[in-house]
Amino acid sequence: MCGIVGYIGTKPAREIIINGLKRLEYRGYDSAGMALINGEAKIFKCKGRVQDLEDMLSGSEFNGTIGMGHTRWATHGEPNELNAHPQVSFKGNFIVVHNGIIENYSLIKKHLQSRGIQFSSQTDTEVLANLIEHLYLEGDLTAEQAIMLALNRVEGAYGLVIICVKEPDRLFAAKKGSPLVIGVGDGENFIASDATPIVEYTQRVIYLKDDDMAIIKKDELILKSVRPGKIEPEVKQVDLKIGEIDKEGFPHFMLKEIYEQPRAIHDTFRGRVLPDHSGIMLGGLHGVLETISQSERIIIVACGTSWHAGLLGEYIFEEYTRIPVEVEYASEFRYRDPIIRKGDIVIAISQSGETADTLAAVKLAKERGAMVLGICNVVGSSIPRETNAGVYTHAGPEIGVASTKAFTTQVTVLAMMAFEIGFLKGVINAENYKKLIDELAVIPEKIEKSLKANEKALEIATKYQQTKNALYLGRGYLFPVALEGALKLKEISYVHAEGYPAAEMKHGPIALIDENMPVVVVATKDDTYDKIVSNIQEIKARKGLVIAIVTEGDEIISRMADFVLEVPDTLPVFSPVLAVIPLQLLSYHIAVLRGCNVDQPRNLAKSVTVE
């Protein structure tokens, strides 16, 4: 989850690292730190955000052309200056920044303590730094040898950048289960947790693979395996514009990303929907569609918002392909000895492509003989590299911790997959296939109309900003939307909220309803409309406050509800993509009015790369 930036070259490193850390602050923000080399090594670190680190550095003129920085999301040890990265080894020879968890750190720490080595922090990272130095001194090894030997003794996940002060012309980097990207420049090289801090300097990148180790100099790059052997680096072009990672006039990344959804969804189907709308061509599934269509079971694994998209995928696939679907939390799937058979299709959904539990589920499914597909946003990330095939969402960078355009583009990809498979199987006839594609093509335009609910969402947020609890209800395709709406409110405004199938209200949640309980009902027109009208009547009979998401022109629910937010009419399968927009806006405005940090909510990080 933490953010890492490293630089080696001829330019002053300090500004490059600070700017890079600002771009990565969505990955972690409990504390921040930096190491710079200029004849000597100096460490600057503090509790708090990157701005606090920048303020600290303003009192020093020290700079260098080699350095590394870190913004932390705490795992081992509370957020404070001692636990902030970089961590320094006991004699000061090694400086380490680390993303991940060293699972056997306790055993290693006890061993090192028995050899008289003392620790100053609570972190597993200091344990690794001390292990490297212990091996370095005891075995009279080079820094490279000591790092390799140490990494063969630790268990867990890591993305590492390491400086050896006695070899100050190079950075060492290593990866296992936590992403690292090297940016290849002219007389300079960069390293970061993802490409966002790199793209303003170079578009040429190398995505490290598990067990890769890099020795990085300003004009040389050597790639090795932690297990002995040299690797030929594969340099790729990253298609990312600097404007995509700026707010561009919006007060928060989250609001910018909500408003980017028409463009994001258009980019998701652009080049995949044939110009005459006669078909869908998902190139990433070329060669495996027939296998998928003949499958007897699909398992979707995901976490958080991606799990909600997966739940919608279950509804869409079962309706349009008639293949049974199970949706699993990746964090549970990997630990409960799931039944996976050859011939099963496992679809892993992850915005970042680095979600630790989802990545582990992918590896488990592959080991047991399933065909594994990925739906991810970040090109070159770990899940696409591990899966047999898949589809990128092309949503563009999502910086806000609370996912918005990731959700809607994931649902769009799942729908396109289901339509293509359903048509191949004959479940969808040519007329309905064309009708679905025609409607998909106008969804971006309809999202633009849905965004007009912004002012009304602000009005409702102003009224309910102090609420302590909220209930979200939906039926059919709109139940996962209720779950997603509740999650957004919890994530960014810290209001307790729960999503339920509307029919389940009578099985418990109705006891919570009174004149102080806002109930958000997702109630666009579909086959369950009459049923949800009855549910709203039950809420109003108990003096509940109803905020309804309705289809444009709705008259029945509009007369019953306290507030309504309208979205355009569409086919039921696309209703979640429209109905979620006002829920995102409502959560956003409540969070802003409550003074919450919308882009970086407390205790959360964008990419969950540790368990």
Side-chain angles (χ1 to χ4, degrees):
M1 293 185 191
C2 311
I4 291 173
V5 180
Y7 174 76
I8 184 166
T10 57
K11 297 172 185 169
R14 194 163 107 175
E15 184 179 352
I16 292 170
I17 293 168
I18 281 288
N19 289 340
L21 291 180
K22 286 178 179 177
R23 298 202 187 283
L24 287 176
E25 196 164 16
Y26 67 93
R27 298 180 68 96
Y29 41 81
D30 294 331
S31 58
M34 182 187 300
L36 294 169
I37 303 290
N38 188 359
E40 61 176 324
K42 281 203 173 182
I43 309 292
F44 305 86
K45 58 182 183 175
C46 62
K47 178 182 177 181
R49 300 181 180 275
V50 175
Q51 185 60 55
D52 299 310
L53 177 64
E54 188 173 20
D55 293 343
M56 173 190 285
L57 285 160
S58 66
S60 171
E61 294 183 358
F62 191 84
N63 210 329
T65 58
I66 301 173
M68 60 188 186
H70 188 269
T71 178
R72 180 174 184 247
W73 187 88
T75 52
H76 292 77
E78 64 182 81
N80 59 32
E81 185 177 330
L82 280 176
N83 291 328
H85 296 205
Q87 289 289 314
V88 183
S89 59
F90 60 97
K91 286 191 178 292
N93 286 308
F94 290 89
I95 306 167
V96 180
V97 294
H98 169 219
N99 182 14
I101 291 177
I102 305 301
E103 294 174 355
N104 60 339
Y105 83 99
S106 181
L107 289 173
I108 295 171
K109 186 173 184 177
K110 287 178 182 176
H111 170 72
L112 294 174
Q113 286 173 325
S114 74
R115 305 296 294 268
I117 296 171
Q118 296 184 346
F119 291 78
S120 58
S121 80
Q122 301 166 294
T123 67
D124 55 333
T125 304
E126 187 188 10
V127 174
L128 178 58
N130 284 345
L131 174 62
I132 293 169
E133 181 160 87
H134 172 65
L135 296 169
Y136 177 74
L137 297 174
E138 289 289 310
D140 192 25
L141 304 175
T142 65
E144 178 186 326
Q145 290 169 332
I147 293 166
M148 277 197 171
L149 192 56
L151 293 181
N152 276 283
R153 294 188 180 184
V154 300
E155 298 171 4
Y158 53 77
L160 295 164
V161 181
I162 302 169
I163 290 172
C164 176
V165 297
K166 293 185 177 179
E167 300 181 29
D169 64 337
R170 66 197 67 191
L171 297 172
F172 298 91
K175 175 206 182 294
K176 185 175 183 179
S178 189
L180 277 181
V181 181
I182 296 173
V184 181
D186 184 10
E188 60 183 0
N189 288 303
F190 307 80
I191 190 156
S193 305
D194 64 44
T196 53
I198 293 173
V199 290
E200 63 183 292
Y201 307 105
T202 179
Q203 299 283 312
R204 301 172 66 226
V205 300
I206 297 168
Y207 294 97
L208 294 189
K209 299 175 183 178
D210 279 356
D211 291 326
D212 279 359
M213 177 176 166
I215 299 97
I216 307 162
K217 300 181 182 181
K218 67 180 183 180
D219 51 9
E220 184 182 14
L221 173 65
I222 300 169
L223 199 59
K224 297 188 174 184
S225 172
V226 170
R227 318 295 177 239
K230 187 176 177 181
I231 300 168
E232 194 64 37
E234 183 182 358
V235 180
K236 296 186 177 181
Q237 288 288 123
V238 60
D239 183 19
L240 181 60
K241 299 177 179 65
I242 194 66
E244 294 181 306
I245 49 179
D246 287 330
K247 291 178 187 172
E248 297 184 319
F250 285 90
H252 298 94
F253 279 111
M254 181 180 178
L255 188 62
K256 177 195 174 196
E257 288 155 8
I258 290 171
Y259 273 82
E260 283 179 340
Q261 286 174 108
R263 190 273 310 156
I265 288 177
H266 183 267
D267 285 352
T268 299
F269 67 70
R270 181 164 54 93
R272 292 164 168 170
V273 169
L274 298 181
D276 62 356
H277 295 181
S278 62
I280 295 169
M281 299 289 288
L282 298 175
L285 299 183
H286 179 73
V288 301
L289 271 177
E290 189 71 35
T291 302
I292 303 169
S293 69
Q294 293 173 2
S295 172
E296 296 182 357
R297 183 171 72 147
I298 293 173
I299 303 168
I300 297 175
V301 293
C303 299
T305 286
S306 296
W307 187 87
H308 297 154
L311 193 57
L312 276 163
E314 177 184 12
Y315 290 21
I316 296 168
F317 266 81
E318 291 197 340
E319 177 173 353
Y320 289 100
T321 73
R322 307 311 298 161
I323 301 172
V325 179
E326 299 169 17
V327 184
E328 299 266 5
Y329 285 109
S331 53
E332 289 295 309
F333 181 76
R334 60 183 293 199
Y335 287 116
R336 64 170 189 80
D337 194 20
I339 298 171
I340 305 171
R341 299 180 293 260
K342 286 187 178 180
D344 286 343
I345 306 296
V346 173
I347 302 175
I349 309 175
S350 167
Q351 188 281 139
S352 67
E354 301 290 351
T355 309
D357 287 314
T358 308
L359 182 57
V362 165
K363 293 177 179 178
L364 174 64
K366 282 180 69 178
E367 287 169 4
R368 299 197 179 178
M371 174 180 284
V372 185
L373 312 176
I375 297 176
C376 298
N377 186 32
V378 180
V379 175
S381 54
S382 296
I383 289 175
R385 295 202 305 267
E386 288 285 342
T387 48
N388 300 106
V391 182
Y392 284 115
T393 57
H394 298 311
E398 188 177 66
I399 306 300
V401 166
S403 279
T404 51
K405 61 180 180 176
F407 174 77
T408 49
T409 54
Q410 286 167 354
V411 174
T412 301
V413 166
L414 286 162
M416 288 194 295
M417 288 173 66
F419 299 160
E420 193 171 2
I421 293 163
F423 183 61
L424 181 64
K425 288 186 68 174
V427 176
I428 307 172
N429 62 33
E431 181 183 351
N432 286 333
Y433 187 49
K434 176 77 160 54
K435 182 180 177 182
L436 289 165
I437 297 172
D438 285 343
E439 185 62 17
L440 172 60
V442 297
I443 289 299
E445 178 185 334
K446 291 188 176 183
I447 292 179
E448 292 280 7
K449 292 181 180 178
S450 299
L451 288 166
K452 292 179 181 178
N454 185 51
E455 291 303 316
K456 189 70 173 180
L458 175 58
E459 177 190 340
I460 298 169
T462 303
K463 184 173 179 63
Y464 293 112
Q465 61 180 292
Q466 297 305 326
T467 191
K468 291 183 169 58
N469 300 284
L471 191 62
Y472 284 67
L473 302 176
R475 300 183 80 126
Y477 280 121
L478 301 174
F479 162 52
V481 178
L483 292 175
E484 176 61 13
L487 178 61
K488 285 292 147 297
L489 193 65
K490 282 184 277 195
E491 282 181 311
I492 62 171
S493 69
Y494 319 141
V495 173
H496 175 253
E498 296 297 334
Y500 275 89
E504 288 296 301
M505 182 178 62
K506 295 188 288 293
H507 296 273
I510 199 167
L512 298 171
I513 293 175
D514 59 21
E515 64 275 12
N516 298 312
M517 170 67 84
V519 182
V520 181
V521 185
V522 193
T524 55
K525 288 280 180 71
D526 64 11
D527 292 342
T528 66
Y529 181 80
D530 291 340
K531 298 291 185 184
I532 208 148
V533 168
S534 299
N535 296 136
I536 292 173
Q537 289 171 331
E538 291 164 353
I539 297 164
K540 296 305 295 179
R542 289 155 182 84
K543 300 183 180 179
L545 304 166
V546 174
I547 302 164
I549 313 301
V550 300
T551 302
E552 217 168 30
D554 182 288
E555 295 182 356
I556 298 172
I557 293 176
S558 295
R559 288 195 298 266
M560 300 165 59
D562 297 274
F563 291 95
V564 296
L565 293 162
E566 292 189 338
V567 297
D569 189 23
T570 188
L571 297 174
V573 68
F574 295 117
S575 58
V577 177
L578 302 185
V580 78
I581 304 297
L583 298 183
Q584 294 170 349
L585 291 168
L586 181 62
S587 297
Y588 169 80
H589 288 301
I590 288 175
V592 171
L593 291 168
R594 289 169 66 92
C596 301
N597 189 329
V598 172
D599 286 334
Q600 297 162 0
R602 68 187 183 202
N603 303 332
L604 296 176
K606 182 66 181 173
S607 179
V608 184
T609 58
V610 296
E611 290 187 59

